[in-house]
């Protein structure tokens, strides 16, 4: 079982989903097959060792277990960040240039990913998408938050994007790769 989180509404749905998880796990007798872990204002369900696939759309963060696949649909102006865990699992987020209502903004994605990863060992971090449409500062302050001045324009600075992602995820820069892969679905 996998849950994809989005910014708003997680607190309300977390209780419902938590109850659903208890009922589902209790009903199947699979007490060790999935575990619910509190995550900020919501809950993420971490799958056990069985493969799982998840689609993470703009403004969402999600996770799959070992051998699972994350698909980020329609990456045209977005960046996607996939943290590859040493156990084979993956935590990913789909950062949009402009916030989708009810979802995480670009400056909320990396903190949400970092909370989901927790203290688990990280093997690598992959950043892919429309590098040319981005400025590294969008991970620190979303475009929507510029109310008195215009936001900085895109720089396409892959090095700066990698530096910002490493810093905000608390990972060594050497673990972070950045690839320009706009215009389509990205699967990791």
């Amino acid at each position: 079982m996998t849950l994809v989180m989005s910014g708003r509404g997680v607190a309300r749905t977390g209780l419902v989903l938590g109850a659903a998880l208890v009922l589902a796990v209790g009903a199947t007798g699979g007490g060790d097959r999935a575990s619910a872990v509190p995550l900020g204002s919501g809950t993420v369900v971490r799958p056990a060792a069985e493969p799982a696939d998840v689609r993470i759309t703009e403004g969402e963060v999600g996770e799959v277990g070992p051998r699972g696949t994350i698909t980020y649909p329609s990456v045209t102006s977005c960046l996607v960040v996939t943290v590859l865990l040493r156990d084979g699992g993956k935590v990913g987020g789909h950062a949009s240039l402009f916030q989708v209502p009810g979802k995480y903004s670009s400056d909320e994605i990396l903190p949400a990913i970092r909370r989901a990863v927790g203290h688990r060992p990280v093997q690598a971090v992959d950043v892919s998408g429309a590098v040319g449409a981005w400025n590294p500062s969008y991970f620190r302050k979303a475009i929507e938050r510029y109310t008195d001045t215009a936001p900085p324009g895109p720089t396409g600075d892959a090095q700066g994007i990698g530096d910002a992602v490493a810093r905000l995820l608390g990972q060594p820069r050497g673990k972070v790769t950045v690839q320009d892969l706009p215009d389509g679905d990205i699967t990791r």
Side-chain angles (χ1 to χ4, degrees):
M1 176 183 272
T2 302
L3 172 67
V4 176
M5 305 175 314
S6 59
R8 292 174 183 77
V10 173
R12 286 183 300 237
T13 60
L15 294 175
V16 174
L17 291 170
L21 173 65
V22 169
L23 291 173
V25 170
T28 63
D32 293 331
R33 297 182 60 90
S35 61
V37 179
L39 186 64
S41 63
T43 300
V44 65
V45 177
R46 294 198 175 124
E50 62 187 76
D53 298 326
V54 67
R55 291 176 64 85
I56 300 176
T57 62
E58 293 179 26
E60 294 180 338
V61 169
E63 178 172 354
V64 295
R67 297 179 310 280
T69 301
I70 297 175
T71 299
Y72 303 97
S74 304
V75 179
T76 55
S77 62
C78 303
L79 285 179
V80 299
V81 178
T82 308
V83 176
L84 307 166
L85 302 171
R86 266 196 224 143
D87 71 358
K90 299 171 196 141
V91 176
H94 193 145
S96 177
L97 277 177
F98 298 98
Q99 185 176 13
V100 175
K103 308 284 179 124
Y104 290 118
S105 62
S106 63
D107 58 357
E108 296 170 323
I109 286 285
L110 294 176
I113 292 171
R114 187 172 181 165
R115 287 189 305 271
V117 169
H119 296 290
R120 293 180 286 170
V122 171
Q123 181 174 334
V125 179
D126 173 75
V127 181
S128 299
V131 171
W134 279 74
N135 184 308
S137 69
Y138 300 162
F139 283 119
R140 289 186 306 277
K141 185 174 181 180
I143 289 174
E144 304 81 31
R145 301 205 199 291
Y146 287 90
T147 56
D148 295 338
T149 61
T155 61
D157 178 9
Q159 180 67 37
I161 289 169
D163 293 346
V165 168
R167 185 173 45 258
L168 292 167
L169 290 181
Q171 294 297 318
R173 177 60 177 93
K175 288 188 178 184
V176 179
T177 58
V178 179
Q179 303 177 68
D180 189 28
L181 295 173
D183 297 327
D185 293 354
I186 294 177
T187 302
R188 296 284 181 255

